[in-house]
Amino acid sequence: MYSEFIGKVVLITGAASGIGRATAVRFAETGTKVVVADVDQHGGEQTVQRVQSFGGTALFVRADVSKEADVAALVQKTIETFGRLDYAVNNAGIEGVSAPLTDIKSEDFDRVINVNLRSVWLCMKYELPELLKQGGAIVNMSSVAGLVGFSGSSPYVASKHAIVGLTKTAALEYSKQGVRINAINPGVIMTPMIDRIASANSEIINQLEVAHPIGRTGNPEEIAAAVVWLCSNEASFITGVTLPVDGGFVAQ
Ligand code: NAD
């Protein structure tokens, strides 16, 4: 399955942890060479070791995706090392502070927008010229918080809704040039991000499980499988969609 990935190159942001790491492993299992981009050097190197442990190819590049110079250097390093870029997964993100809108400082709003949203725009700006050389696919990581509101998370919800609009617009601009661009809306996925949220409220995991019609939270591998499928030829007629992978959460 997915033999088209052999020898291809994928760049994944936020790949030192959680969904990004699982996606790096899943791509590498298909024979794709993986660029692991993150601010977390230790976690990024652990992801590279996981990939190398089964004979896969991966390179860690330290990059803060909210900084244009870092994103430009990340794509340049990818091309210098592997000579091409076929797929990109713009996944890095932060949860931000949880508080009512009036209690959130404007600098906290700006931080979430810069890391979650501006980064996706910046990454596509530098990834697309490389993808356009031979065609490819991009997956941007939104959230169910990109489709419905969540009380107490106004910056995060705004950033994830905006990723949906950005994805649709980018898909329209490049659909005739061989680059498909889609987004995924994960439900609650058990990663270090959710561990941090749960550390402040031990009851929350039970509440989150019940909130998903399927009766449980998701795991990072379930998102990774959807990302790889969206990049594959199996999804060759799919562009500009935003796909909930959420145990039925937004069907309610
Ligand atoms: P995580 O915290 O486990 O991983 C996020 C990664 O992004 C970390 O490795 C972190 O170092 C990196 N990162 C943060 N800021 C960065 C920056 N400025 N530059 C580069 N890297 C940076 O979280 P996760 O749950 O794996 O989340 C991955 C993505 O999925 C995020 O965009 C998140 O909003 C989204 N998401 C997660 C869930 C969930 O329930 N876990 C649900 C919906 C959407």
Side-chain angles (χ1 to χ4, degrees):
M1 202 178 182
Y2 299 148
S3 58
E4 74 264 27
F5 286 128
I6 294 167
K8 301 273 181 66
V9 178
V10 62
L11 189 168
I12 306 172
T13 69
S17 177
I19 292 169
R21 173 178 287 171
T23 305
V25 169
R26 177 86 176 159
F27 262 111
E29 285 169 351
T30 71
T32 320
K33 297 170 189 166
V34 183
V35 177
V36 171
D38 209 291
V39 280
D40 174 3
Q41 174 141 5
H42 179 65
E45 286 169 353
Q46 284 182 330
T47 301
V48 169
Q49 280 169 16
R50 277 274 295 280
V51 167
Q52 290 173 341
S53 70
F54 57 83
T57 302
L59 168 77
F60 172 70
V61 180
R62 196 196 171 283
D64 179 341
V65 291
S66 67
K67 295 188 175 151
E68 183 162 5
D70 280 22
V71 173
L74 167 63
V75 173
Q76 192 180 349
K77 182 73 182 169
T78 300
I79 301 304
E80 273 170 23
T81 307
F82 294 127
R84 59 188 291 152
L85 179 62
D86 300 277
Y87 312 108
V89 184
N90 299 318
N91 162 78
I94 54 173
E95 60 275 30
V97 293
S98 177
L101 190 150
T102 49
D103 294 350
I104 294 176
K105 296 187 187 118
S106 57
E107 54 265 37
D108 290 334
F109 179 84
D110 290 347
R111 171 102 186 111
V112 172
I113 294 297
N114 284 338
V115 174
N116 290 8
L117 172 61
R118 185 171 182 273
S119 69
V120 173
W121 183 84
L122 270 179
C123 283
M124 289 201 288
K125 177 176 167 62
Y126 286 90
E127 292 157 357
L128 274 162
E130 299 304 327
L131 267 70
L132 286 166
K133 290 177 181 167
Q134 74 283 309
I138 294 176
V139 175
N140 295 323
M141 203 55 68
S142 177
S143 167
V144 289
L147 299 172
V148 297
F150 281 86
S151 193
S153 300
S154 56
Y156 185 82
V157 168
S159 72
K160 294 299 183 180
H161 271 69
I163 288 172
V164 171
L166 184 56
T167 299
K168 289 177 180 174
T169 300
L172 295 178
E173 290 181 3
Y174 297 97
S175 58
K176 288 198 175 54
Q177 295 172 67
V179 180
R180 295 181 300 101
I181 305 174
N182 295 295
I184 289 184
N185 309 93
V188 175
I189 306 300
M190 293 313 295
T191 68
M193 180 181 280
I194 299 302
D195 294 343
R196 287 191 293 276
I197 292 167
S199 70
N201 177 358
S202 58
E203 290 298 300
I204 202 162
I205 297 297
N206 285 342
Q207 293 165 9
L208 292 173
E209 284 173 352
V210 172
H212 293 72
I214 216 164
R216 64 172 176 86
T217 54
N219 61 63
E221 291 73 23
E222 290 174 301
I223 305 303
V227 173
V228 171
W229 174 74
L230 272 177
C231 289
S232 79
N233 292 340
E234 300 287 308
S236 55
F237 202 49
I238 302 178
T239 195
V241 308
T242 186
L243 176 69
V245 182
D246 67 345
F249 188 93
V250 296
Q252 298 174 102

